[in-house]
Amino acid sequence: MERGSFVLGHQLTSDQLNARILNYPTIAVPERKMTLNTSPVGIDRAILFDDGAYNNRDIQLIIGFEGKQADSNIQKFLSVLDTGKYIDFQMYSDPDYTYQVIRQSTGTIARPNYSDGYRELTIMLSAAPYRYVAPAQTETITTLISTLVNPTNYVAKPYIKIVGSGSITLTINGTDYRFSNVTGSIELDSAMQNVWHTNGKIIVNENAKMAIGPFPTLKPGNNNINLSAGTVTIEPRWRTL
């Protein structure tokens, strides 16, 4: 990526907006979710309760918009952010990763005295703690045993689509994930912990067709995968802090 460039939501680029990031983005390291209990008497350190997760991180940006459409392009940028859900964001400063961002804070729009056709937007974005390896990888696996290699030090929560019918078992690292009465295909998102089937444009909840238990994850290093019938497409969503 060129210096200052970015892609927002896989649909809006810095070139389309005639914009560039002016600063080297300041990105906070996410805070671990922990609680320290200092009340017990006679113990020489606090008792630690670890939630096993992280808080969101902040990304501070200054973006310059050039040309007669500067004001309009700022509104386009903000409208993509303001959808009530996380939006993918890639920056020149970290081109091998995608961040998932939302806007919670206010921003400021400044116009230097020397130019009518230039604006600067200063804004703070809130990003989900993990950043995802880009471009996203997708693997299609048949009933043969295959191996996916997680290149990061963190457990991944994949998106999975199984194409087939009837009773199907997906085995990952020796753990069986069983699906019953599959009709053509079934999809699941381990991050959202949801199972569904797409019928045309209609999404049908299929949580009842997956045996009760944890959703699949992919550990760092080698992950052995087998499918009892049909084919499975996996978007691993490799991630790191």
Side-chain angles (χ1 to χ4, degrees), residues 12 14 27-28 36 54 59 69 72 76 80 86 100 107 112 131 165 169 171 196 200 202 212 226 236 241:
L12 199 59
S14 50
I27 304 174
L36 298 179
Y54 300 88
I59 301 178
Q69 301 298 318
S72 175
K76 288 180 183 178
V80 174
Y86 285 99
Q100 295 181 335
R131 53 184 180 153
S165 296
T169 300
T171 304
W196 70 93
I202 300 174
I212 295 175
N226 189 33
L241 292 181

Side-chain angles (χ1 to χ4, degrees), residues 10 16 32 39 87 92 96 178 184 196-197 241:
H10 301 295
Q16 291 171 326
R32 184 81 171 184
S39 61
I87 300 296
Y92 81 98
D96 296 327
R178 294 183 174 87
W196 70 93
H197 169 72
L241 292 181

Side-chain angles (χ1 to χ4, degrees), residues 141-195:
I141 297 168
T142 63
T143 53
L144 299 175
I145 296 177
S146 298
T147 301
L148 288 182
V149 181
N150 183 347
T152 77
N153 295 316
Y154 295 89
V155 170
K157 296 182 178 182
Y159 158 80
I160 296 172
K161 180 177 182 179
I162 298 172
V163 177
S165 296
S167 296
I168 299 175
T169 300
L170 173 66
T171 304
I172 300 179
N173 297 325
T175 299
D176 291 337
Y177 302 94
R178 294 183 174 87
F179 303 88
S180 59
N181 301 317
V182 178
T183 54
S185 68
I186 196 165
E187 301 174 57
L188 63 140
D189 187 327
S190 290
M192 301 301 294
Q193 299 199 4
N194 199 18
V195 183

Side-chain angles (χ1 to χ4, degrees), residues 5-83:
S5 62
F6 60 85
V7 180
L8 181 64
H10 301 295
Q11 58 180 302
L12 199 59
T13 68
S14 50
D15 286 342
Q16 291 171 326
L17 296 174
N18 200 14
R20 286 292 182 270
I21 298 173
L22 303 179
N23 65 322
Y24 193 89
T26 302
I27 304 174
V29 175
E31 179 186 18
R32 184 81 171 184
K33 289 184 177 180
M34 293 183 181
T35 302
L36 298 179
N37 184 352
T38 59
S39 61
V41 177
I43 297 177
D44 62 359
R45 59 181 174 180
I47 297 175
L48 177 65
F49 298 93
D50 187 356
D51 290 341
Y54 300 88
N55 290 317
N56 274 18
R57 63 171 91 197
D58 291 331
I59 301 178
Q60 184 176 352
L61 296 173
I62 303 173
I63 305 176
F65 293 79
E66 293 271 7
K68 295 180 179 179
Q69 301 298 318
D71 286 324
S72 175
N73 285 336
I74 288 176
Q75 296 309 311
K76 288 180 183 178
F77 179 85
L78 294 175
S79 67
V80 174
L81 281 174
D82 294 347
T83 59

